[in-house]
């Protein structure tokens, strides 16, 4: 029933209702007819018996007592009366009289049966029919008709009685008339049949009519409305409104007509509002596009502004810092002047850091900061950071412990520069805010699945700690908490930048700290292993380096850290070098004397004998002094570089070692011709470190005129970095071909390496006197 559709439900319920009504009416009519028919025949019989009894002579009747009396005249008179009574209605089947005996039983007296022509004589025979009725009738002393109809031998009989009094006037007998009631019963059957047929006909008519009405008046319009609503749903506004259905419906004035009118107006309204909406959306989209364009161009302007600003700020800063350095190393100064210059240098440096940090943060905010993951040699990356920190901690006189996991992956793919930036910031803070106790740098690894590692970096210090209130602020830009003296050394941007970088790496930077006890900063990042790290590192602009032309060459590596030794071994051995590695200057010297290598790469800070000392001694040994030597260190201070060159190194290579820089140096000092795999060309990453390579020879440098060269040379001699930059700008505008030349000088200028600028220019100006 629940699944029936609307028209079926209406038809079923209406049909049942009307069927019940029709049934009630039909059966009511039938019963009415039934009773009136029966009553009519009873009344007729009552009239017959009432008229018949006075005709019977009760005196004569009282004299008929036995069979022999049938010959008597009074018997005959009464018998004739019966015949004449019977003649009044052909429906009278039989007519007779009975009399009550002293034993209360009734016996027949007269009897007339037309079928039998009155021959049967029954006088004195027992009358057997329902005596009780007769006893009541005796008491009543009036004619009556029985309620019941009797069925005997296929005939339906109704009995009527009239009392007969005896000679003393007391009722002692009855006249009984049996009337044929078959016609009544037949009539009744006919009526019942008629009622049934009528009922069925009404029912059928009802079903048909209700079905037609419900479908045409209710269901169909609803179905049409439904399909119209569905069309609306699919956005077919016009089709719906043009449909005839609605015109048809609109004519109706009943509830459905009203419904359809409301529906139509709703559809129209929807159509209008949809049209307006579409228009609005279009307008908004246009507005948004415009706004986006504006925002984009504003963003671009902001980025450009920042880039220009930082360049503009950095240029005078270069002058300030450069001159401060020149003065620091120059003529003897008064104590006051020296202090002043130190302060100028420190403030300038602070400002430079601030500018760099602001630029980084601006990049992050403009979502311009992207990660450039590349294959890297992980142990050396970490060791490089640790070494730098060891020096800083050493200066402060606090122990620094680096605890790497024993099963660190060797090669990983990561944005080395950004990872180093975060670690240096966290470790730098830890050292800065610790005066007693120690700083520990832990790196833990867990292999998540094949070639994917989760690496946890943890930096723990026993420093001043951070208050709970401070913890909520430190990751926000320019927030510094606690000791105001130390704050002067920072910018308050480091943690904000680090947090953003770690977020970019898909993790978060966490901290736990207790005031006076110390702090622990940590983060966990997932990094893929780079099995081919050495191969990728050897891939340069010209293609992957496969080896070099000529015979095998020997390279001696001197470094106290296995990570650093191993990175050089891994890079060079596959190219056809024989690499021998030792762990301090003394061993280095001994090995050099033994094997006479073609080139030496040496660390500077080492136990037993450091790199400077080894280089100095090397240059004193006649058979070894011509061997080219490359000093390599994590300390990128110019003073260290200069000292190493003074000690006897041919070139300086910053750590962590970058393969392209190392290859360039080897190419230069061993006169190598590399063999490339042309199919694998890589874009060389440009980093701060690769810029600082002192002795790299760039390709295709076109020098300007001798006049310009000598002018630049003079400026360099005078330390006039601003003037140099001015000159470079003019040159830049003059011709594009000077690009490489300008870049080279600018790199040195950016690092205040006026000495290098001079040496570089002298290459193109052989006659110039230094
Ligand atoms: P800053 O350049 O001042 O170091 P950071 O963003 O790196 O800027 O740090 C913000 C502030 O968080 C610091 O000024 C310092 O108050 C607090 N802080 C950071 N690291 C530590 C630490 N290891 N111990 C105590 N305080 C710290």
């Amino acid at each position: 029933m629940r699944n029936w559709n609307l028209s079926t439900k209406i038809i079923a319920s209406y049909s049942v209702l009307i069927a019940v009504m029709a049934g009630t009416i039909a059966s009511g009519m039938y019963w009415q007819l039934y009773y009136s028919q029966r009553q009519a025949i009873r009344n007729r019989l009552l009239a017959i018996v009432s008229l018949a009894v006075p005709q019977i002579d009760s005196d004569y009747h009282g004299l008929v007592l036995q069979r022999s009396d049938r010959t008597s005249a009074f018997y005959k008179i009464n018998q004739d009366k019966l015949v004449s009574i019977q003649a009044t209605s052909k429906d009278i089947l039989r007519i007779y009289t009975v009399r009550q005996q002293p034993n209360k039983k009734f016996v027949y007296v007269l009897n007339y049966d037309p079928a039998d022509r009155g021959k049967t004589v029954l006088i004195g025979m027992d009358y057997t029919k329902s005596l009780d009725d007769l006893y009541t009738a005796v008491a009543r002393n009036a004619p009556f008709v029985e309620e019941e109809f009797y069925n005997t031998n296929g005939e339906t009989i109704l009995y009527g009685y009239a009392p007969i009094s005896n000679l003393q006037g007391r009722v002692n007998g009855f006249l009984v008339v049996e009337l044929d009631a078959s016609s009544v019963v037949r009539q009744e059957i006919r009526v019942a049949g008629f009622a049934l047929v009528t009922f069925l006909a009404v029912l059928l008519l009802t079903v048909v009519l209700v079905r037609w009405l419900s479908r045409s008046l209710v269901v169909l319009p609803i179905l049409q409305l439904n399909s119209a609503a569905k069309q609306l749903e699919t956005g077919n506004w016009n089709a719906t409104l043009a449909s005839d259905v609605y015109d048809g419906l609109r004519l109706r004035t009943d509830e459905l007509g009203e419904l359809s009118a409301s529906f139509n107006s709703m559809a129209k309204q929807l159509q209008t509002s949809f049209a307006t909406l579409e228009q609005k959306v279009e307008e908004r989209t246009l507005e948004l596009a415009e706004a986006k364009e504006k925002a984009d161009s504003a963003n671009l302007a902001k980025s450009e502004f920042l880039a220009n600003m930082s360049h503009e700020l950095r240029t005078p800063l270069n002058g300030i810092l450069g001159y401060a350095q020149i003065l620091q190393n120059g003529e003897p100064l008064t104590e006051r002047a020296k202090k002043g210059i130190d302060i100028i240098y420190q403030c300038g440096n602070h400002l430079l850091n601030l500018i760099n940090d602001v630029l980084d943060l601006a990049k992050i905010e403009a979502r311009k900061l992207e990660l450039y993951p590349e294959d890297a040699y992980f142990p050396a990356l970490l060791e490089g950071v640790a070494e730098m920190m060891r020096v800083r901690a050493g200066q402060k006189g606090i122990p620094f412990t680096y605890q790497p996991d024993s099963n660190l992956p060797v090669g990983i793919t990561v944005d080395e520069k950004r990872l180093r930036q975060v670690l240096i910031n966290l470790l730098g803070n830890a050292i800065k805010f610790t005066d007693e106790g120690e700083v520990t740098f832990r790196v833990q690894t867990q292999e998540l699945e094949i070639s994917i590692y989760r690496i946890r970096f943890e930096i723990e210090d026993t420093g001043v700690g951070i208050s709970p209130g401070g913890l909520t602020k430190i990751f926000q830009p320019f927030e510094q908490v606690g000791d105001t003296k130390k704050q002067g050394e920072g910018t308050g941007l480091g943690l904000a930048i680090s947090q953003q970088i770690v977020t970019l790496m898909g993790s978060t930077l966490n901290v736990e700290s207790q005031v006076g006890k110390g702090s622990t900063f940590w983060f966990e990042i997932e990094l893929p292993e780079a099995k081919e790290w050495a191969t990728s590192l050897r891939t340069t602009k010209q293609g992957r380096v496969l080896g070099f032309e000529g015979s095998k060459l020997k390279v001696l590596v001197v470094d106290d850290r296995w990570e650093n030794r191993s990175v050089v071994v891994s890079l060079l051995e596959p190219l056809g070098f024989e690499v021998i590695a030792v762990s301090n200057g003394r061993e280095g010297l001994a090995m050099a004397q033994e094997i006479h290598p073609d080139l030496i790469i040496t660390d500077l800070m080492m136990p037993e004998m450091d790199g400077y000392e080894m280089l100095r001694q090397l240059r004193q040994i006649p058979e070894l002094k011509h061997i080219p030597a490359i000093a390599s260190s994590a300390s990128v201070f110019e003073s260290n570089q200069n000292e190493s060159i003074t000690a006897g190194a041919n070139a300086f290579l910053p750590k962590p070692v970058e393969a392209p820089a190392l290859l360039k140096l080897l190419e230069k000092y061993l006169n190598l011709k590399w063999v490339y795999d042309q199919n694998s060309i890589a874009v060389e990453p440009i980093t701060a470190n690769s810029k600082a390579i002192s002795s790299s020879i760039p390709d295709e440098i076109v020098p300007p005129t001798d006049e310009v060269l000598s002018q630049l040379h003079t400026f360099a001699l005078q330390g006039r970095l601003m003037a140099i930059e001015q000159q470079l700008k003019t040159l830049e505008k003059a011709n594009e071909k000077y690009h490489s030349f300008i870049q080279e000088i600018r790199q040195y200028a950016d690092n205040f390496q006026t000495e290098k600028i001079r040496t570089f220019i002298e290459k193109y100006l052989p006659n110039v006197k230094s």
Side-chain angles (χ1 to χ4, degrees):
M1 175 106 182
R2 209 179 292 162
N3 295 330
W4 289 2
N5 61 30
L6 184 61
S7 61
T8 317
K9 278 179 191 166
I10 294 178
I11 293 166
S13 45
Y14 271 93
S15 301
V16 167
L17 195 71
I18 294 192
V20 169
M21 278 163 58
T24 316
I25 293 170
S27 55
M29 273 163 55
Y30 169 76
W31 283 113
Q32 186 62 32
L33 219 75
Y34 176 89
Y35 280 111
S36 60
Q37 285 272 335
R38 291 202 169 202
Q39 204 49 49
I41 198 166
R42 264 193 215 103
N43 288 345
R44 196 149 67 87
L45 184 57
L46 191 65
I48 290 171
V49 288
S50 304
L51 285 175
V53 79
Q55 295 189 44
I56 297 292
D57 188 324
S58 57
D59 292 346
Y60 288 162
H61 186 258
L63 293 174
V64 179
L65 294 172
Q66 50 201 333
R67 282 182 72 86
S68 54
D69 290 332
R70 66 190 170 111
T71 50
S72 64
F74 34 82
Y75 172 81
K76 276 187 183 148
I77 289 168
N78 274 342
Q79 189 71 17
D80 285 346
K81 288 270 171 53
L82 291 189
V83 174
S84 68
I85 292 167
Q86 196 277 331
T88 60
S89 171
K90 62 176 175 29
D91 289 342
I92 295 172
L93 291 175
R94 188 175 161 213
I95 184 164
Y96 52 90
T97 60
V98 292
R99 183 188 301 127
Q100 197 170 26
Q101 297 301 104
N103 64 0
K104 294 273 181 184
K105 281 191 174 170
F106 286 89
V107 293
Y108 281 106
V109 180
L110 303 170
N111 176 40
Y112 175 65
D113 179 355
D116 171 59
R117 290 286 133 214
K119 277 179 224 148
T120 316
V121 178
L122 300 171
I123 303 167
M125 287 173 78
D126 279 348
Y127 179 64
T128 49
K129 194 182 164 289
S130 58
L131 295 174
D132 284 344
D133 287 345
L134 291 185
Y135 294 144
T136 354
V138 169
R140 204 188 292 171
N141 192 16
F144 76 96
V145 174
E146 274 193 36
E147 287 292 309
E148 237 173 298
F149 282 51
Y150 290 88
N151 264 321
T152 333
N153 306 327
E155 284 176 323
T156 307
I157 300 165
L158 183 66
Y159 287 84
Y161 303 90
I164 301 172
S165 310
N166 62 7
L167 292 173
Q168 289 79 36
R170 200 174 54 84
V171 175
N172 76 335
F174 288 100
L175 172 82
V176 183
V177 177
E178 289 182 10
L179 195 71
D180 180 6
S182 305
S183 68
V184 173
V185 175
R186 272 198 302 279
Q187 186 81 0
E188 278 169 13
I189 290 169
R190 267 205 304 279
V191 168
F194 178 73
L196 190 69
V197 169
T198 314
F199 168 73
L200 288 178
V202 168
L203 193 66
L204 190 71
L205 198 72
T206 311
V207 170
V208 172
L209 205 70
V210 168
R211 185 184 138 81
W212 175 76
L213 283 177
S214 70
R215 284 191 68 79
S216 69
L217 294 183
V218 183
V219 180
L220 274 185
I222 287 177
L223 284 181
Q224 285 160 351
L225 275 176
N226 187 25
S227 91
K230 277 186 183 155
Q231 285 197 47
L232 275 189
E233 205 177 87
T234 59
N236 186 5
W237 318 102
N238 295 328
T240 306
L241 289 170
S243 162
D244 295 343
V245 172
Y246 302 101
D247 292 331
L249 275 180
R250 212 174 283 150
L251 298 176
R252 291 174 60 155
T253 49
D254 59 9
E255 293 86 339
L256 271 171
E258 253 175 54
L259 177 64
S260 77
S262 329
F263 179 85
N264 275 344
S265 77
M266 180 193 79
K268 247 187 206 149
Q269 233 165 18
L270 270 179
Q271 187 184 17
T272 344
S273 41
F274 188 74
T276 353
L277 190 71
E278 265 182 345
Q279 202 186 336
K280 267 189 192 156
V281 167
E282 246 168 55
E283 282 169 11
R284 290 292 296 165
T285 316
L286 212 69
E287 277 170 27
L288 282 176
E290 275 170 21
K292 188 178 177 296
E293 215 168 274
K294 273 186 199 159
D296 280 351
S297 69
N299 235 343
L300 200 71
K302 183 180 155 194
S303 302
E304 268 173 25
F305 171 76
L306 278 167
N308 290 338
M309 266 287 284
S310 66
H311 186 73
E312 293 304 319
L313 286 172
R314 264 194 274 198
T315 313
L317 254 183
N318 282 343
I320 294 170
L321 289 172
Y323 262 113
Q325 274 182 308
I326 289 166
L327 289 173
Q328 271 172 340
N329 301 326
E331 310 97 72
L333 297 164
T334 62
E335 215 30 55
R336 221 170 99 91
K338 217 170 157 76
K339 218 171 179 183
I341 287 165
D342 277 349
I343 290 172
I344 292 175
Y345 185 77
Q346 276 169 20
C347 293
N349 224 8
H350 180 76
L351 199 55
L352 191 64
N353 285 339
L354 190 65
I355 291 168
N356 287 337
D357 281 355
V358 168
L359 203 67
D360 262 352
L361 200 72
K363 265 194 206 161
I364 289 170
E365 276 175 2
R367 293 184 218 297
K368 285 271 159 59
L369 189 105
E370 278 171 28
L371 296 179
Y372 298 101
E374 277 172 4
D375 292 353
Y377 180 60
F378 201 33
L381 189 163
L382 295 173
E383 179 53 38
V385 173
E387 203 169 311
M388 191 189 280
M389 291 304 140
R390 214 172 280 124
V391 174
R392 267 198 220 176
Q395 284 166 353
K396 263 195 97 171
I398 49 166
F400 173 81
T401 323
Y402 167 45
Q403 295 177 348
D405 208 332
S406 56
N407 47 356
L408 281 183
V410 178
I412 47 153
T413 308
V414 69
D415 187 330
E416 220 182 311
K417 183 179 155 193
R418 294 298 173 191
L419 179 59
R420 201 180 303 126
Q421 186 178 357
V422 174
L423 293 175
I424 289 174
N425 177 48
L426 296 178
L427 287 163
N429 277 348
I431 293 169
K432 184 161 80 180
F433 293 103
T434 305
D435 294 326
E436 275 167 27
E438 57 176 341
V439 172
T440 313
F441 175 32
R442 284 187 203 95
V443 183
Q444 281 150 3
T445 344
Q446 180 196 353
E447 188 164 10
L448 290 179
E449 51 191 273
I450 295 171
S451 296
I452 303 279
Y453 289 87
R454 176 182 293 145
I455 298 173
R456 179 187 166 100
F457 300 90
E458 188 181 295
I459 292 105
E460 189 185 342
D461 67 53
T462 56
V464 294
I466 307 162
S467 66
L471 283 178
T472 58
K473 289 198 228 146
I474 53 169
F475 293 109
Q476 288 162 20
F478 298 108
E479 283 296 345
Q480 297 181 309
V481 295
D483 190 348
T484 39
K485 189 178 135 277
K486 294 236 167 53
Q487 288 174 4
E489 295 168 27
T491 59
L493 289 174
L495 285 180
I497 294 169
S498 297
Q499 177 69 285
Q500 297 281 5
I501 293 175
V502 174
T503 308
L504 270 181
M505 290 180 170
S507 180
T508 40
L509 185 54
N510 307 290
V511 58
E512 256 173 24
S513 186
Q514 262 186 304
V515 176
K517 292 233 166 100
S519 322
T520 306
F521 284 82
W522 79 93
F523 61 98
E524 292 182 346
I525 48 176
E526 283 175 24
L527 294 174
E529 184 176 15
K531 293 226 166 72
E532 299 288 303
W533 66 274
T535 319
S536 354
L537 287 187
R538 281 193 300 269
T539 307
T540 67
K541 257 192 251 173
Q542 287 95 332
R544 189 169 46 178
V545 179
L546 296 174
F548 53 87
E549 286 172 10
S551 54
K552 214 174 178 92
L553 293 169
K554 270 187 259 173
V555 173
L556 173 64
V557 178
V558 188
D559 203 309
D560 59 329
R561 293 268 151 193
W562 69 267
E563 298 94 336
N564 297 337
R565 295 195 296 270
S566 112
V567 69
V568 178
V569 174
S570 310
L571 279 172
L572 298 186
E573 267 186 346
L575 299 182
F577 291 97
E578 186 185 341
V579 187
I580 302 99
V582 293
S583 59
N584 63 51
R586 216 161 36 77
E587 286 175 12
L589 270 183
M591 188 55 82
Q593 268 164 324
E594 191 185 327
I595 61 163
H596 287 255
D598 297 292
L599 185 132
I600 297 171
I601 301 172
T602 180
D603 185 20
L604 292 175
M605 311 295 193
M606 284 181 292
E608 294 202 34
M609 184 192 285
D610 64 17
Y612 303 112
E613 185 54 32
M614 190 198 83
L615 285 166
R616 273 192 285 273
Q617 292 198 21
L618 188 82
R619 293 304 177 220
Q620 304 301 319
I621 303 167
E623 70 267 31
L624 298 182
K625 69 176 185 198
H626 65 276
I627 299 177
I630 298 169
S632 178
S633 169
S635 167
V636 286
F637 295 122
E638 208 185 351
S639 56
N640 296 103
Q641 298 181 23
N642 288 339
E643 202 184 328
S644 69
I645 304 282
T646 321
N650 297 67
F652 181 82
L653 177 67
K655 270 186 196 162
V657 169
E658 293 196 356
L662 176 62
L663 296 182
K664 249 180 194 164
L665 289 177
L666 293 179
E667 187 183 343
K668 184 183 175 193
Y669 290 103
L670 292 172
N671 274 321
L672 290 179
K673 233 179 167 6
W674 297 117
V675 179
Y676 295 105
D677 172 3
Q678 300 291 346
N679 297 330
S680 54
I681 301 214
V683 183
E684 211 177 319
I686 295 177
T687 64
N689 287 331
S690 65
K691 278 188 211 161
I693 298 158
S694 50
S695 45
S696 55
I697 300 274
D699 319 303
E700 292 173 55
I701 287 180
V702 181
T705 58
D706 285 0
E707 198 187 327
V708 178
L709 281 174
S710 64
Q711 197 159 31
L712 283 171
H713 192 261
T714 319
F715 288 151
L717 212 59
Q718 296 167 343
R720 294 175 60 188
L721 290 166
M722 293 268 277
I724 292 179
E725 178 57 32
Q726 205 55 49
Q727 185 70 265
L728 290 180
K729 270 191 184 155
T730 325
L731 211 55
E732 214 164 26
K733 279 185 201 140
N735 200 322
E736 250 185 42
K737 66 179 179 187
Y738 301 129
H739 180 75
S740 301
F741 176 85
I742 293 168
Q743 275 227 313
E744 199 68 19
I745 298 208
R746 208 168 254 159
Q747 272 177 28
Y748 297 136
D750 281 350
N751 292 298
F752 325 113
Q753 297 165 316
T754 47
E755 182 68 33
K756 293 230 168 91
I757 298 177
R758 264 168 26 220
T759 349
F760 178 69
I761 293 173
E762 280 160 20
K763 277 189 221 153
Y764 302 97
L765 266 186
N767 306 329
V768 85
K769 39 186 181 349
S770 302

